[in-house]
Amino acid sequence: MDCLFCAIIAGEIPSRQVYADDAAVAFLDISPWHAGHTLVVPRRHVADALSQPEALSEIAPAINATARLLTERLEAAGMNILINSGAVSGQEVFHLHAHLIPRYADHPGMAALMERDSDIDLDAVHQRIIAQA
Ligand code: 5GP
Ligand code: ZN
Protein backbone atom coordinates (compact mmCIF):
# COMPACT_ATOMS: atom_id res chain seq x y z
CA MET A 1 0.00 0.00 0.00
CA ASP A 2 1.28 3.44 -0.91
CA CYS A 3 0.40 5.71 2.02
CA LEU A 4 2.31 8.87 2.94
CA PHE A 5 1.41 8.78 6.63
CA CYS A 6 2.17 5.04 6.97
CA ALA A 7 5.62 5.88 5.52
CA ILE A 8 6.03 8.70 8.07
CA ILE A 9 4.98 6.40 10.94
CA ALA A 10 7.48 3.78 9.72
CA GLY A 11 10.23 6.42 9.67
CA GLU A 12 10.73 6.02 5.91
CA ILE A 13 9.87 9.70 5.41
CA PRO A 14 11.15 12.22 7.97
CA SER A 15 8.75 14.20 10.13
CA ARG A 16 8.92 16.51 13.12
CA GLN A 17 7.34 14.24 15.71
CA VAL A 18 5.97 15.85 18.87
CA TYR A 19 4.15 12.97 20.60
CA ALA A 20 3.62 9.21 20.30
CA ASP A 21 1.83 6.47 22.21
CA ASP A 22 0.91 2.85 21.46
CA ALA A 23 -1.99 3.80 19.22
CA ALA A 24 -1.04 7.11 17.60
CA VAL A 25 1.72 9.43 16.43
CA ALA A 26 1.65 13.25 16.25
CA PHE A 27 3.90 15.33 13.96
CA LEU A 28 3.98 18.89 12.64
CA ASP A 29 2.05 19.60 9.44
CA ILE A 30 4.52 20.45 6.68
CA SER A 31 2.43 23.44 5.55
CA PRO A 32 1.03 24.97 8.76
CA TRP A 33 -1.96 27.27 8.96
CA HIS A 34 -0.69 28.57 12.32
CA ALA A 35 2.45 27.86 14.38
CA GLY A 36 2.31 24.38 15.87
CA HIS A 37 -0.24 22.95 13.38
CA THR A 38 0.00 19.24 14.16
CA LEU A 39 -1.47 16.04 12.73
CA VAL A 40 -2.45 13.17 15.04
CA VAL A 41 -2.70 9.84 13.18
CA PRO A 42 -3.46 6.25 14.21
CA ARG A 43 -0.50 3.88 13.88
CA ARG A 44 -2.67 1.44 11.95
CA HIS A 45 -3.85 2.42 8.50
CA VAL A 46 -7.39 3.77 8.62
CA ALA A 47 -8.53 5.62 5.51
CA ASP A 48 -10.89 8.10 7.14
CA ALA A 49 -13.06 8.76 10.19
CA LEU A 50 -16.30 7.68 8.53
CA SER A 51 -15.17 4.23 7.37
CA GLN A 52 -13.88 3.21 10.82
CA PRO A 53 -15.30 5.56 13.46
CA GLU A 54 -13.95 3.38 16.30
CA ALA A 55 -10.47 4.64 15.34
CA LEU A 56 -11.45 8.04 16.76
CA SER A 57 -11.50 6.63 20.28
CA GLU A 58 -8.12 4.99 19.69
CA ILE A 59 -6.48 8.34 18.90
CA ALA A 60 -8.46 10.38 21.46
CA PRO A 61 -5.84 10.07 24.24
CA ALA A 62 -3.12 11.25 21.84
CA ILE A 63 -5.27 14.17 20.67
CA ASN A 64 -5.78 15.19 24.30
CA ALA A 65 -2.11 14.84 25.25
CA THR A 66 -0.88 16.63 22.13
CA ALA A 67 -3.38 19.47 22.52
CA ARG A 68 -2.22 20.02 26.09
CA LEU A 69 1.45 19.90 25.05
CA LEU A 70 0.98 22.42 22.23
CA THR A 71 -1.07 24.77 24.41
CA GLU A 72 1.51 24.73 27.17
CA ARG A 73 4.68 24.96 25.07
CA LEU A 74 3.43 27.46 22.50
CA GLU A 75 1.23 29.46 24.87
CA ALA A 76 -1.75 29.07 22.56
CA ALA A 77 -4.95 30.87 23.50
CA GLY A 78 -7.18 28.19 21.95
CA MET A 79 -7.19 25.41 19.37
CA ASN A 80 -9.15 24.14 16.39
CA ILE A 81 -9.43 20.34 16.23
CA LEU A 82 -10.53 19.32 12.75
CA ILE A 83 -10.93 16.01 10.91
CA ASN A 84 -11.65 16.14 7.18
CA SER A 85 -13.47 12.99 6.08
CA GLY A 86 -13.77 12.22 2.37
CA ALA A 87 -12.44 14.02 -0.67
CA VAL A 88 -15.43 16.37 -0.83
CA SER A 89 -14.56 17.66 2.66
CA GLY A 90 -11.03 18.55 1.55
CA GLN A 91 -9.29 15.37 2.75
CA GLU A 92 -6.15 14.93 0.66
CA VAL A 93 -4.26 12.24 2.56
CA PHE A 94 -6.34 9.09 3.03
CA HIS A 95 -4.91 7.99 6.35
CA LEU A 96 -7.09 9.32 9.17
CA HIS A 97 -5.63 12.42 10.81
CA ALA A 98 -6.84 15.05 13.24
CA HIS A 99 -5.57 18.56 12.61
CA LEU A 100 -4.66 20.33 15.86
CA ILE A 101 -4.30 24.01 15.08
CA PRO A 102 -3.16 26.22 17.96
CA ARG A 103 -4.68 29.70 17.81
CA TYR A 104 -3.27 32.99 18.98
CA ALA A 105 -4.92 36.27 19.94
CA ASP A 106 -3.44 38.22 17.01
CA HIS A 107 -5.27 36.09 14.39
CA PRO A 108 -8.61 35.10 15.96
CA GLY A 109 -11.73 33.55 14.51
CA MET A 110 -12.81 30.98 11.90
CA ALA A 111 -12.15 33.30 8.96
CA ALA A 112 -8.46 33.34 9.86
CA LEU A 113 -8.24 29.56 10.39
CA MET A 114 -6.69 28.64 7.04
CA GLU A 115 -4.33 31.57 6.66
CA ARG A 116 -1.26 29.46 5.83
CA ASP A 117 1.79 31.26 7.20
CA SER A 118 4.84 30.53 5.08
CA ASP A 119 7.06 32.49 7.52
CA ILE A 120 6.74 29.83 10.24
CA ASP A 121 10.12 28.26 11.07
CA LEU A 122 9.10 24.61 11.50
CA ASP A 123 12.37 23.56 13.16
CA ALA A 124 12.18 26.40 15.69
CA VAL A 125 8.55 25.59 16.55
CA HIS A 126 9.43 21.90 16.82
CA GLN A 127 12.21 22.64 19.30
CA ARG A 128 9.87 24.76 21.44
CA ILE A 129 7.41 21.85 21.64
CA ILE A 130 9.82 18.99 22.32
CA ALA A 131 12.38 20.79 24.51
CA GLN A 132 12.85 19.00 27.84
CA ALA A 133 11.25 20.96 30.66
P1 5GP B 1 -6.12 16.87 4.69
O1 5GP B 1 -6.37 17.89 3.62
O2 5GP B 1 -6.00 15.48 4.12
O3 5GP B 1 -7.07 16.95 5.84
O4 5GP B 1 -4.72 17.26 5.33
C1 5GP B 1 -3.51 16.73 4.88
C2 5GP B 1 -2.42 17.55 5.54
O5 5GP B 1 -1.20 16.84 5.37
C3 5GP B 1 -2.22 18.94 4.92
O6 5GP B 1 -2.45 19.96 5.89
C4 5GP B 1 -0.78 18.92 4.43
O7 5GP B 1 -0.10 20.15 4.63
C5 5GP B 1 -0.16 17.78 5.23
N1 5GP B 1 0.93 17.10 4.56
C6 5GP B 1 0.98 16.72 3.25
N2 5GP B 1 2.15 16.10 2.99
C7 5GP B 1 2.85 16.08 4.15
C8 5GP B 1 4.15 15.58 4.51
O8 5GP B 1 4.88 15.01 3.70
N3 5GP B 1 4.54 15.75 5.81
C9 5GP B 1 3.74 16.37 6.72
N4 5GP B 1 4.24 16.51 7.97
N5 5GP B 1 2.52 16.86 6.42
C10 5GP B 1 2.07 16.72 5.15
ZN1 ZN C 1 -1.61 4.80 6.02
Side-chain angles (χ1 to χ4, degrees):
M1 183 182 17
D2 193 15
C3 171
L4 174 63
F5 288 171
C6 281
I8 286 178
I9 293 161
E12 296 161 7
I13 292 175
S15 71
R16 295 173 180 83
Q17 189 170 307
V18 299
Y19 180 82
D21 63 22
D22 288 348
V25 174
F27 50 87
L28 293 186
D29 193 295
I30 204 165
S31 184
W33 296 348
H34 297 274
H37 182 171
T38 295
L39 304 174
V40 180
V41 308
R43 286 188 183 274
R44 68 184 179 100
H45 182 82
V46 174
D48 61 55
L50 296 180
S51 59
Q52 291 194 55
E54 71 279 7
L56 292 174
S57 55
E58 295 171 20
I59 66 172
I63 291 173
N64 179 44
T66 305
R68 289 174 185 276
L69 178 69
L70 296 173
T71 301
E72 181 187 313
R73 294 296 174 91
L74 301 179
E75 298 175 16
M79 187 166 305
N80 296 100
I81 300 177
L82 172 72
I83 300 176
N84 297 326
S85 303
V88 73
S89 76
Q91 185 177 6
E92 294 181 347
V93 178
F94 287 86
H95 180 129
L96 170 62
H97 51 283
H99 295 259
L100 272 56
I101 305 150
R103 301 300 301 273
Y104 308 95
D106 55 346
H107 289 97
M110 284 292 286
L113 173 59
M114 293 175 66
E115 279 177 0
R116 284 190 201 268
D117 184 348
S118 55
D119 291 336
I120 292 170
D121 181 337
L122 281 171
D123 288 326
V125 171
H126 189 219
Q127 284 307 315
R128 286 176 65 196
I129 298 168
I130 64 171
Q132 296 299 318

